[in-house]
Structures are given as C-alpha cells and as structure tokens.
Amino acid sequence: NAGVTQTPKFQVLKTGQSMTLQCAQDMNHNSMYWYRQDPGMGLRLIYYSASEGTTDKGEVPNGYNVSRLNKREFSLRLESAAPSQTSVYFCASSAERESYEQYFGPGTRLTVT
Amino acid sequence: DAKTTQPTSMDCAEGRAANLPCNHSTISGNEYVYWYRQIHSQGPQYIIHGLKNNETNEMASLIITEDRKSSTLILPHATLRDTAVYYCIVRGGGTSYGKLTFGQGTILTVHP
C-alpha cells in the first residue's frame, strides 16, 4: 500500500500561471481533503470531499478549485497562481465520516514568484 | 469546534516520559480530542483520540480530565525520533466531521 501519494513534490510557478496538484489514495477511503500549510503555521483546510462526486469548501477556498475524479483521486487546481499561494499543500484521506484518523500525503511544495 | 491552547515548545530527555498538555475549556459534549504530530515538514501523523475516557495505543496515552476541559498526551519513553510538532485538535461530529482545525501546536524537542 502506497497510502496517499501526491505529485509533484516541488513546483515553481510564475504569477498568473495555472497548475493542478494531484492526489491519489489506495486505501479505498471515501473522504479526501486538501490542506495548505504556510511557514510556521498549522494546516488550514482548503476543500474536502465526503464521497465521490461531492466537494465542499473548507476554511480557505478562494483561488482554488477541486475535482473528485473518482474514489481514488482528488485534484486541486490553481487557475491563476498568486504569490500568496506559496505554501506546502497536503492531501489527506479518511475511511468514513466517523473515522477519526486522517492519513496524509508527503506534500507538494509550491513557490509562486 | 472548540479552540485549543498548547505551550509553544517543550523539551524532554531521551528515555523519559513526555507529557504534552492541552487546554480545551470550551469543548462540548460530542467533541473528541485528537492528537496528531508532524515530523519536520512531513505530512501530519495521527497519534490518538478520545472522548472522555483515557485511551492508550502503541504510540501514546491520552489522559482527559473529568470535566474534559484539558488533556495530556503522554509518550512513555521518548526517543529522538519523537521530536516533532504536536497538535491537539478538538473535532465535533455532524457536518464538521472532517474538518480538523490545526493550531500552532507544541514543538517537542527530545534531547540525548
């Protein structure tokens, strides 16, 4: 089991460019999440998906879109990157709505210049 | 979800128990206490959770006070690999089920 995988590991973008961060899990989990972590801060929830075909906004959704492509994959898209989106992005998944354990991926380190 | 308060940093000697406190004085009856840790820029790792009873697993023990307004995470025999940021999170049920709100956590440094 690979758990939660994220691609790419590192990315540098210029202001205004777009990109998609990919996340996949092989644990047959229903729920998936995207967080961002700014330097010296805790994680903040961007979007989450309770099940295939559903997505909901988290704490900081502005500037992002998501797609729950299937049960395994949950992507995060930046349509027009801004320097304020420089951060480390973590994807996570959990089994059921009452599951207490979220499994996190290794993160994508994004720099927007 | 209830707000939590943790010390900014703590030190512990290798082999000794590390006791990490957390205050959550506004916790409500259906809210659980979770602990996660993050080792140097890796993704956070789940440690343990509880509602009102004390809990123990292979990683740690969680002691929750009777009034549930505070809790303590105990790493019984800390090692250098336990150096990390530890997050205490209170999470409710219902529509907030998946929303973990991470504060700044406690930086635990384990010394040789």
Side-chain angles (χ1 to χ4, degrees):
Chain A
N1 269 358
V4 178
T5 56
Q6 293 183 235
T7 56
K9 287 188 168 52
F10 300 93
Q11 183 72 48
V12 178
L13 291 178
K14 294 187 189 312
T15 298
Q17 288 185 317
S18 62
M19 79 161 295
T20 300
L21 281 64
Q22 306 286 355
C23 174
Q25 51 91 8
D26 62 1
M27 296 173 282
N28 202 36
H29 285 170
N30 286 325
S31 302
M32 298 185 73
Y33 315 84
W34 275 107
Y35 294 87
R36 62 176 286 174
Q37 185 174 32
D38 299 330
M41 305 290 288
L43 279 72
R44 293 183 291 170
L45 183 67
I46 305 172
Y47 271 95
Y48 67 101
S49 169
S51 61
E52 186 178 349
T54 68
T55 60
D56 285 287
K57 295 178 180 179
E59 183 185 353
V60 288
N62 291 344
Y64 305 95
N65 287 302
V66 291
S67 295
R68 184 73 183 269
L69 304 168
N70 48 54
K71 192 170 186 178
R72 288 187 65 249
E73 299 172 291
F74 189 37
S75 63
L76 178 73
R77 183 160 178 83
L78 286 71
E79 292 290 352
S80 178
S84 60
Q85 294 178 304
T86 293
S87 192
V88 181
Y89 291 84
F90 290 102
C91 177
S93 70
S94 64
E96 300 292 340
R97 74 178 275 156
E98 279 78 35
S99 173
Y100 306 117
E101 182 172 358
Q102 289 188 14
Y103 293 83
F104 284 79
T108 294
R109 283 145 185 81
L110 175 66
T111 301
V112 183
T113 61
Chain B
D1 292 344
K3 183 180 171 61
T4 62
T5 304
Q6 299 177 251
T8 302
S9 63
M10 295 183 66
D11 291 332
C12 178
E14 190 176 20
R16 304 297 295 268
N19 297 283
L20 289 84
C22 180
N23 286 320
H24 31 79
S25 58
T26 59
I27 194 169
S28 60
N30 67 345
E31 290 182 315
Y32 288 80
V33 179
Y34 293 80
W35 285 84
Y36 280 75
R37 73 180 182 183
Q38 188 173 24
I39 297 172
H40 187 57
S41 301
Q42 297 177 20
Q45 176 190 24
Y46 165 84
I47 301 172
I48 199 167
H49 76 277
L51 182 62
K52 51 185 175 182
N53 297 322
N54 297 338
E55 303 288 344
T56 295
N57 63 20
E58 64 278 4
M59 287 182 69
S61 295
L62 174 60
I63 308 299
I64 302 174
T65 58
E66 193 169 341
D67 64 7
R68 302 209 323 122
K69 293 183 182 218
S70 65
S71 60
T72 301
L73 177 75
I74 301 172
L75 307 179
H77 305 287
T79 70
L80 298 179
R81 287 178 295 179
D82 292 321
T83 293
V85 180
Y86 287 77
Y87 296 101
C88 170
I89 300 165
V90 171
R91 192 210 82 173
T95 57
S96 67
Y97 73 98
K99 299 177 185 178
L100 299 179
T101 300
F102 288 78
Q104 300 220 4
T106 296
I107 300 170
L108 175 69
T109 304
V110 181
H111 298 285

Tab-separated table of all heavy atoms in Angstrom, chain B residues 28-78:
chain	number	residue	atom	x	y	z
B	28	SER	N	-17.433	20.859	23.870
B	28	SER	CA	-18.809	20.458	24.143
B	28	SER	C	-18.902	18.937	24.190
B	28	SER	O	-17.953	18.228	23.870
B	28	SER	CB	-19.758	21.029	23.089
B	28	SER	OG	-19.401	20.567	21.817
B	29	GLY	N	-20.080	18.464	24.586
B	29	GLY	CA	-20.216	17.058	24.933
B	29	GLY	C	-19.930	16.066	23.833
B	29	GLY	O	-19.528	14.934	24.099
B	30	ASN	N	-20.134	16.446	22.571
B	30	ASN	CA	-19.947	15.497	21.474
B	30	ASN	C	-18.637	15.707	20.725
B	30	ASN	O	-18.451	15.174	19.637
B	30	ASN	CB	-21.123	15.594	20.497
B	30	ASN	CG	-21.159	16.923	19.779
B	30	ASN	OD1	-20.487	17.879	20.189
B	30	ASN	ND2	-21.914	17.004	18.710
B	31	GLU	N	-17.753	16.491	21.295
B	31	GLU	CA	-16.489	16.785	20.621
B	31	GLU	C	-15.373	15.879	21.145
B	31	GLU	O	-15.206	15.705	22.357
B	31	GLU	CB	-16.110	18.256	20.795
B	31	GLU	CG	-17.032	19.187	19.994
B	31	GLU	CD	-16.648	20.645	20.114
B	31	GLU	OE1	-16.368	21.110	21.235
B	31	GLU	OE2	-16.635	21.324	19.061
B	32	TYR	N	-14.601	15.346	20.207
B	32	TYR	CA	-13.492	14.465	20.517
B	32	TYR	C	-12.191	15.260	20.574
B	32	TYR	O	-12.024	16.265	19.894
B	32	TYR	CB	-13.350	13.388	19.437
B	32	TYR	CG	-14.432	12.347	19.454
B	32	TYR	CD1	-15.677	12.598	18.894
B	32	TYR	CD2	-14.204	11.089	20.022
B	32	TYR	CE1	-16.667	11.632	18.904
B	32	TYR	CE2	-15.183	10.115	20.025
B	32	TYR	CZ	-16.407	10.406	19.473
B	32	TYR	OH	-17.388	9.451	19.481
B	33	VAL	N	-11.240	14.746	21.322
B	33	VAL	CA	-9.890	15.302	21.360
B	33	VAL	C	-8.984	14.393	20.536
B	33	VAL	O	-8.941	13.178	20.759
B	33	VAL	CB	-9.349	15.388	22.801
B	33	VAL	CG1	-7.934	15.956	22.786
B	33	VAL	CG2	-10.269	16.235	23.673
B	34	TYR	N	-8.314	14.990	19.575
B	34	TYR	CA	-7.370	14.271	18.723
B	34	TYR	C	-5.956	14.806	18.942
B	34	TYR	O	-5.774	15.987	19.230
B	34	TYR	CB	-7.662	14.516	17.245
B	34	TYR	CG	-8.930	13.954	16.726
B	34	TYR	CD1	-10.138	14.596	16.938
B	34	TYR	CD2	-8.919	12.786	15.978
B	34	TYR	CE1	-11.312	14.073	16.425
B	34	TYR	CE2	-10.079	12.268	15.468
B	34	TYR	CZ	-11.267	12.918	15.696
B	34	TYR	OH	-12.426	12.404	15.188
B	35	TRP	N	-4.992	13.922	18.732
B	35	TRP	CA	-3.595	14.351	18.678
B	35	TRP	C	-2.980	13.851	17.380
B	35	TRP	O	-3.112	12.680	17.024
B	35	TRP	CB	-2.805	13.830	19.875
B	35	TRP	CG	-3.096	14.564	21.141
B	35	TRP	CD1	-4.135	14.345	22.010
B	35	TRP	CD2	-2.335	15.643	21.691
B	35	TRP	NE1	-4.058	15.226	23.065
B	35	TRP	CE2	-2.966	16.023	22.894
B	35	TRP	CE3	-1.176	16.316	21.289
B	35	TRP	CZ2	-2.479	17.056	23.711
B	35	TRP	CZ3	-0.701	17.328	22.089
B	35	TRP	CH2	-1.345	17.700	23.286
B	36	TYR	N	-2.304	14.787	16.700
B	36	TYR	CA	-1.513	14.486	15.524
B	36	TYR	C	-0.114	15.041	15.773
B	36	TYR	O	0.079	15.933	16.599
B	36	TYR	CB	-2.083	15.169	14.275
B	36	TYR	CG	-3.256	14.465	13.640
B	36	TYR	CD1	-4.512	14.522	14.228
B	36	TYR	CD2	-3.106	13.763	12.455
B	36	TYR	CE1	-5.592	13.877	13.646
B	36	TYR	CE2	-4.183	13.116	11.864
B	36	TYR	CZ	-5.417	13.183	12.467
B	36	TYR	OH	-6.488	12.544	11.894
B	37	ARG	N	0.857	14.546	15.025
B	37	ARG	CA	2.181	15.142	15.071
B	37	ARG	C	2.715	15.293	13.655
B	37	ARG	O	2.306	14.600	12.743
B	37	ARG	CB	3.140	14.327	15.928
B	37	ARG	CG	3.612	13.018	15.308
B	37	ARG	CD	4.540	12.321	16.272
B	37	ARG	NE	5.060	11.073	15.708
B	37	ARG	CZ	5.857	10.241	16.378
B	37	ARG	NH1	6.215	10.514	17.628
B	37	ARG	NH2	6.287	9.140	15.803
B	38	GLN	N	3.657	16.218	13.513
B	38	GLN	CA	4.256	16.486	12.216
B	38	GLN	C	5.768	16.540	12.412
B	38	GLN	O	6.280	17.416	13.125
B	38	GLN	CB	3.744	17.794	11.636
B	38	GLN	CG	4.183	18.035	10.211
B	38	GLN	CD	3.521	19.255	9.601
B	38	GLN	OE1	3.096	20.169	10.288
B	38	GLN	NE2	3.442	19.272	8.273
B	39	ILE	N	6.426	15.589	11.793
B	39	ILE	CA	7.880	15.492	11.901
B	39	ILE	C	8.487	16.211	10.719
B	39	ILE	O	8.286	15.820	9.573
B	39	ILE	CB	8.328	14.016	11.932
B	39	ILE	CG1	7.746	13.333	13.172
B	39	ILE	CG2	9.844	13.901	11.902
B	39	ILE	CD1	7.968	11.835	13.215
B	40	HIS	N	9.181	17.272	11.017
B	40	HIS	CA	9.937	18.074	10.051
B	40	HIS	C	9.387	18.057	8.625
B	40	HIS	O	9.889	17.368	7.773
B	40	HIS	CB	11.396	17.662	10.022
B	40	HIS	CG	12.239	18.583	9.171
B	40	HIS	ND1	12.304	19.927	9.420
B	40	HIS	CD2	12.985	18.359	8.083
B	40	HIS	CE1	13.093	20.484	8.494
B	40	HIS	NE2	13.524	19.549	7.677
B	41	SER	N	8.302	18.835	8.397
B	41	SER	CA	7.802	19.093	7.048
B	41	SER	C	7.141	17.884	6.394
B	41	SER	O	6.730	17.975	5.244
B	41	SER	CB	8.912	19.607	6.132
B	41	SER	OG	9.455	20.784	6.653
B	42	GLN	N	7.055	16.760	7.096
B	42	GLN	CA	6.298	15.642	6.542
B	42	GLN	C	4.810	15.887	6.747
B	42	GLN	O	4.416	16.831	7.437
B	42	GLN	CB	6.701	14.331	7.234
B	42	GLN	CG	8.147	13.945	7.031
B	42	GLN	CD	8.481	12.676	7.812
B	42	GLN	OE1	7.610	11.900	8.180
B	42	GLN	NE2	9.759	12.452	8.044
B	43	GLY	N	3.982	15.036	6.164
B	43	GLY	CA	2.561	15.133	6.426
B	43	GLY	C	2.256	14.755	7.863
B	43	GLY	O	2.947	13.921	8.448
B	44	PRO	N	1.243	15.372	8.468
B	44	PRO	CA	0.888	15.023	9.847
B	44	PRO	C	0.543	13.547	9.997
B	44	PRO	O	0.081	12.904	9.058
B	44	PRO	CB	-0.338	15.906	10.126
B	44	PRO	CG	-0.184	17.060	9.195
B	44	PRO	CD	0.443	16.484	7.962
B	45	GLN	N	0.771	13.048	11.196
B	45	GLN	CA	0.534	11.644	11.512
B	45	GLN	C	-0.419	11.552	12.688
B	45	GLN	O	-0.189	12.190	13.728
B	45	GLN	CB	1.869	10.969	11.850
B	45	GLN	CG	1.756	9.522	12.283
B	45	GLN	CD	3.072	8.984	12.825
B	45	GLN	OE1	3.930	9.729	13.299
B	45	GLN	NE2	3.238	7.669	12.767
B	46	TYR	N	-1.471	10.772	12.549
B	46	TYR	CA	-2.418	10.567	13.636
B	46	TYR	C	-1.736	9.826	14.784
B	46	TYR	O	-0.955	8.882	14.565
B	46	TYR	CB	-3.605	9.749	13.126
B	46	TYR	CG	-4.497	9.156	14.188
B	46	TYR	CD1	-5.512	9.908	14.766
B	46	TYR	CD2	-4.320	7.845	14.608
B	46	TYR	CE1	-6.344	9.355	15.726
B	46	TYR	CE2	-5.144	7.297	15.566
B	46	TYR	CZ	-6.156	8.061	16.123
B	46	TYR	OH	-6.969	7.514	17.070
B	47	ILE	N	-2.026	10.253	16.021
B	47	ILE	CA	-1.466	9.560	17.183
B	47	ILE	C	-2.564	8.837	17.952
B	47	ILE	O	-2.524	7.618	18.139
B	47	ILE	CB	-0.752	10.548	18.136
B	47	ILE	CG1	0.371	11.278	17.409
B	47	ILE	CG2	-0.195	9.791	19.352
B	47	ILE	CD1	0.985	12.407	18.231
B	48	ILE	N	-3.567	9.577	18.393
B	48	ILE	CA	-4.577	9.002	19.280
B	48	ILE	C	-5.760	9.949	19.362
B	48	ILE	O	-5.642	11.124	18.999
B	48	ILE	CB	-3.952	8.765	20.679
B	48	ILE	CG1	-4.752	7.759	21.509
B	48	ILE	CG2	-3.754	10.080	21.425
B	48	ILE	CD1	-3.995	7.268	22.743
B	49	HIS	N	-6.902	9.459	19.800
B	49	HIS	CA	-8.051	10.318	20.034
B	49	HIS	C	-8.851	9.777	21.215
B	49	HIS	O	-8.699	8.610	21.606
B	49	HIS	CB	-8.945	10.405	18.803
B	49	HIS	CG	-9.787	9.197	18.588
B	49	HIS	ND1	-9.306	8.068	17.958
B	49	HIS	CD2	-11.054	8.923	18.942
B	49	HIS	CE1	-10.259	7.153	17.920
B	49	HIS	NE2	-11.330	7.631	18.522
B	50	GLY	N	-9.722	10.618	21.777
B	50	GLY	CA	-10.582	10.185	22.867
B	50	GLY	C	-11.757	11.121	23.049
B	50	GLY	O	-11.736	12.264	22.581
B	51	LEU	N	-12.782	10.642	23.737
B	51	LEU	CA	-13.972	11.438	24.029
B	51	LEU	C	-13.977	11.849	25.500
B	51	LEU	O	-13.973	13.027	25.818
B	51	LEU	CB	-15.237	10.654	23.691
B	51	LEU	CG	-16.561	11.395	23.901
B	51	LEU	CD1	-16.638	12.631	23.006
B	51	LEU	CD2	-17.749	10.467	23.638
B	52	LYS	N	-14.016	10.862	26.391
B	52	LYS	CA	-13.960	11.204	27.813
B	52	LYS	C	-13.155	10.202	28.629
B	52	LYS	O	-12.668	10.531	29.701
B	52	LYS	CB	-15.358	11.356	28.404
B	52	LYS	CG	-16.289	10.211	28.127
B	52	LYS	CD	-17.673	10.552	28.658
B	52	LYS	CE	-18.678	9.478	28.283
B	52	LYS	NZ	-20.029	9.808	28.753
B	53	ASN	N	-12.981	8.998	28.101
B	53	ASN	CA	-12.171	8.025	28.819
B	53	ASN	C	-10.708	8.156	28.404
B	53	ASN	O	-10.396	8.623	27.323
B	53	ASN	CB	-12.645	6.611	28.492
B	53	ASN	CG	-14.069	6.385	28.965
B	53	ASN	OD1	-14.454	6.864	30.024
B	53	ASN	ND2	-14.839	5.670	28.166
B	54	ASN	N	-9.831	7.733	29.292
B	54	ASN	CA	-8.419	7.687	28.935
B	54	ASN	C	-8.198	6.615	27.881
B	54	ASN	O	-8.886	5.589	27.866
B	54	ASN	CB	-7.575	7.398	30.181
B	54	ASN	CG	-7.705	8.499	31.219
B	54	ASN	OD1	-8.074	9.624	30.897
B	54	ASN	ND2	-7.415	8.163	32.466
B	55	GLU	N	-7.264	6.863	26.986
B	55	GLU	CA	-7.004	5.949	25.889
B	55	GLU	C	-5.515	5.661	25.803
B	55	GLU	O	-4.687	6.517	26.153
B	55	GLU	CB	-7.475	6.544	24.564
B	55	GLU	CG	-8.937	6.927	24.495
B	55	GLU	CD	-9.857	5.728	24.434
B	55	GLU	OE1	-9.379	4.618	24.145
B	55	GLU	OE2	-11.072	5.909	24.679
B	56	THR	N	-5.198	4.461	25.337
B	56	THR	CA	-3.798	4.074	25.138
B	56	THR	C	-3.698	3.273	23.859
B	56	THR	O	-4.561	2.446	23.572
B	56	THR	CB	-3.292	3.236	26.325
B	56	THR	OG1	-3.294	4.031	27.508
B	56	THR	CG2	-1.858	2.749	26.080
B	57	ASN	N	-2.654	3.531	23.099
B	57	ASN	CA	-2.331	2.675	21.960
B	57	ASN	C	-0.821	2.464	21.934
B	57	ASN	O	-0.125	2.815	22.895
B	57	ASN	CB	-2.878	3.249	20.651
B	57	ASN	CG	-2.274	4.592	20.276
B	57	ASN	OD1	-1.193	4.962	20.761
B	57	ASN	ND2	-2.973	5.321	19.439
B	58	GLU	N	-0.324	1.922	20.845
B	58	GLU	CA	1.095	1.564	20.803
B	58	GLU	C	1.995	2.788	20.766
B	58	GLU	O	3.192	2.687	21.034
B	58	GLU	CB	1.374	0.668	19.586
B	58	GLU	CG	1.142	1.332	18.243
B	58	GLU	CD	-0.310	1.324	17.811
B	58	GLU	OE1	-1.168	0.861	18.590
B	58	GLU	OE2	-0.569	1.799	16.690
B	59	MET	N	1.444	3.930	20.428
B	59	MET	CA	2.266	5.132	20.339
B	59	MET	C	2.242	5.954	21.628
B	59	MET	O	3.253	6.543	22.006
B	59	MET	CB	1.786	6.025	19.197
B	59	MET	CG	2.097	5.516	17.815
B	59	MET	SD	1.547	6.658	16.546
B	59	MET	CE	2.670	8.017	16.811
B	60	ALA	N	1.065	6.077	22.243
B	60	ALA	CA	0.918	7.055	23.316
B	60	ALA	C	-0.289	6.744	24.187
B	60	ALA	O	-1.071	5.848	23.883
B	60	ALA	CB	0.765	8.450	22.699
B	61	SER	N	-0.403	7.540	25.259
B	61	SER	CA	-1.602	7.524	26.096
B	61	SER	C	-2.212	8.914	26.105
B	61	SER	O	-1.492	9.917	25.999
B	61	SER	CB	-1.267	7.119	27.529
B	61	SER	OG	-0.808	5.794	27.584
B	62	LEU	N	-3.530	8.950	26.222
B	62	LEU	CA	-4.257	10.216	26.287
B	62	LEU	C	-5.045	10.231	27.582
B	62	LEU	O	-5.864	9.337	27.816
B	62	LEU	CB	-5.195	10.343	25.087
B	62	LEU	CG	-6.132	11.546	25.072
B	62	LEU	CD1	-5.340	12.856	25.088
B	62	LEU	CD2	-7.043	11.502	23.843
B	63	ILE	N	-4.769	11.250	28.411
B	63	ILE	CA	-5.482	11.422	29.666
B	63	ILE	C	-6.373	12.640	29.540
B	63	ILE	O	-5.879	13.739	29.258
B	63	ILE	CB	-4.502	11.629	30.841
B	63	ILE	CG1	-3.432	10.528	30.866
B	63	ILE	CG2	-5.261	11.691	32.166
B	63	ILE	CD1	-3.978	9.137	31.050
B	64	ILE	N	-7.675	12.470	29.710
B	64	ILE	CA	-8.636	13.568	29.618
B	64	ILE	C	-9.205	13.798	31.011
B	64	ILE	O	-9.645	12.849	31.670
B	64	ILE	CB	-9.766	13.228	28.619
B	64	ILE	CG1	-9.169	12.931	27.235
B	64	ILE	CG2	-10.765	14.383	28.517
B	64	ILE	CD1	-10.184	12.445	26.217
B	65	THR	N	-9.204	15.050	31.466
B	65	THR	CA	-9.724	15.343	32.801
B	65	THR	C	-11.224	15.064	32.857
B	65	THR	O	-11.906	15.026	31.830
B	65	THR	CB	-9.451	16.797	33.200
B	65	THR	OG1	-10.059	17.658	32.208
B	65	THR	CG2	-7.958	17.073	33.273
B	66	GLU	N	-11.712	14.901	34.076
B	66	GLU	CA	-13.114	14.530	34.241
B	66	GLU	C	-14.058	15.578	33.664
B	66	GLU	O	-15.092	15.249	33.092
B	66	GLU	CB	-13.422	14.323	35.734
B	66	GLU	CG	-14.748	13.633	35.989
B	66	GLU	CD	-14.899	13.199	37.432
B	66	GLU	OE1	-13.888	13.091	38.156
B	66	GLU	OE2	-16.057	12.979	37.830
B	67	ASP	N	-13.699	16.870	33.797
B	67	ASP	CA	-14.548	17.923	33.231
B	67	ASP	C	-14.292	18.136	31.740
B	67	ASP	O	-14.941	18.966	31.102
B	67	ASP	CB	-14.365	19.234	33.996
B	67	ASP	CG	-12.960	19.798	33.891
B	67	ASP	OD1	-12.153	19.242	33.118
B	67	ASP	OD2	-12.664	20.783	34.582
B	68	ARG	N	-13.346	17.401	31.186
B	68	ARG	CA	-12.983	17.406	29.763
B	68	ARG	C	-12.428	18.743	29.298
B	68	ARG	O	-12.299	18.970	28.094
B	68	ARG	CB	-14.184	17.013	28.889
B	68	ARG	CG	-14.746	15.674	29.228
B	68	ARG	CD	-15.397	14.920	28.095
B	68	ARG	NE	-16.118	15.759	27.172
B	68	ARG	CZ	-15.862	15.815	25.873
B	68	ARG	NH1	-14.905	15.098	25.334
B	68	ARG	NH2	-16.576	16.601	25.100
B	69	LYS	N	-12.043	19.614	30.192
B	69	LYS	CA	-11.545	20.915	29.776
B	69	LYS	C	-10.057	20.896	29.455
B	69	LYS	O	-9.514	21.888	28.951
B	69	LYS	CB	-11.825	21.949	30.853
B	69	LYS	CG	-13.323	22.200	31.010
B	69	LYS	CD	-13.628	23.273	32.007
B	69	LYS	CE	-15.156	23.394	32.096
B	69	LYS	NZ	-15.574	24.736	32.247
B	70	SER	N	-9.383	19.804	29.742
B	70	SER	CA	-7.979	19.708	29.368
B	70	SER	C	-7.603	18.243	29.186
B	70	SER	O	-8.333	17.342	29.618
B	70	SER	CB	-7.083	20.356	30.415
B	70	SER	OG	-7.159	19.645	31.636
B	71	SER	N	-6.474	18.033	28.522
B	71	SER	CA	-5.988	16.677	28.308
B	71	SER	C	-4.466	16.695	28.262
B	71	SER	O	-3.851	17.761	28.123
B	71	SER	CB	-6.569	16.092	27.010
B	71	SER	OG	-6.196	16.865	25.887
B	72	THR	N	-3.888	15.512	28.381
B	72	THR	CA	-2.436	15.362	28.311
B	72	THR	C	-2.097	14.176	27.428
B	72	THR	O	-2.656	13.079	27.613
B	72	THR	CB	-1.823	15.140	29.706
B	72	THR	OG1	-2.136	16.249	30.540
B	72	THR	CG2	-0.308	14.994	29.618
B	73	LEU	N	-1.220	14.403	26.483
B	73	LEU	CA	-0.680	13.317	25.674
B	73	LEU	C	0.607	12.853	26.330
B	73	LEU	O	1.477	13.670	26.647
B	73	LEU	CB	-0.392	13.800	24.254
B	73	LEU	CG	0.239	12.762	23.332
B	73	LEU	CD1	-0.804	11.735	22.902
B	73	LEU	CD2	0.869	13.418	22.110
B	74	ILE	N	0.735	11.556	26.514
B	74	ILE	CA	1.934	11.008	27.154
B	74	ILE	C	2.646	10.078	26.191
B	74	ILE	O	2.059	9.093	25.700
B	74	ILE	CB	1.578	10.239	28.443
B	74	ILE	CG1	0.872	11.169	29.428
B	74	ILE	CG2	2.843	9.647	29.072
B	74	ILE	CD1	0.311	10.457	30.642
B	75	LEU	N	3.905	10.411	25.897
B	75	LEU	CA	4.789	9.495	25.168
B	75	LEU	C	5.636	8.831	26.236
B	75	LEU	O	6.496	9.484	26.841
B	75	LEU	CB	5.659	10.257	24.179
B	75	LEU	CG	4.941	11.183	23.198
B	75	LEU	CD1	5.947	11.891	22.300
B	75	LEU	CD2	3.936	10.416	22.362
B	76	PRO	N	5.442	7.557	26.530
B	76	PRO	CA	6.017	6.964	27.738
B	76	PRO	C	7.536	6.907	27.762
B	76	PRO	O	8.138	7.074	28.819
B	76	PRO	CB	5.401	5.566	27.771
B	76	PRO	CG	4.919	5.305	26.391
B	76	PRO	CD	4.599	6.615	25.784
B	77	HIS	N	8.164	6.683	26.626
B	77	HIS	CA	9.624	6.599	26.569
B	77	HIS	C	10.080	7.346	25.309
B	77	HIS	O	10.243	6.736	24.254
B	77	HIS	CB	10.090	5.139	26.529
B	77	HIS	CG	9.582	4.305	27.650
B	77	HIS	ND1	10.051	4.418	28.944
B	77	HIS	CD2	8.599	3.362	27.688
B	77	HIS	CE1	9.402	3.568	29.723
B	77	HIS	NE2	8.514	2.919	28.991
B	78	ALA	N	10.243	8.638	25.439
B	78	ALA	CA	10.519	9.459	24.258
B	78	ALA	C	11.871	9.092	23.631
B	78	ALA	O	12.847	8.807	24.330
B	78	ALA	CB	10.511	10.930	24.642
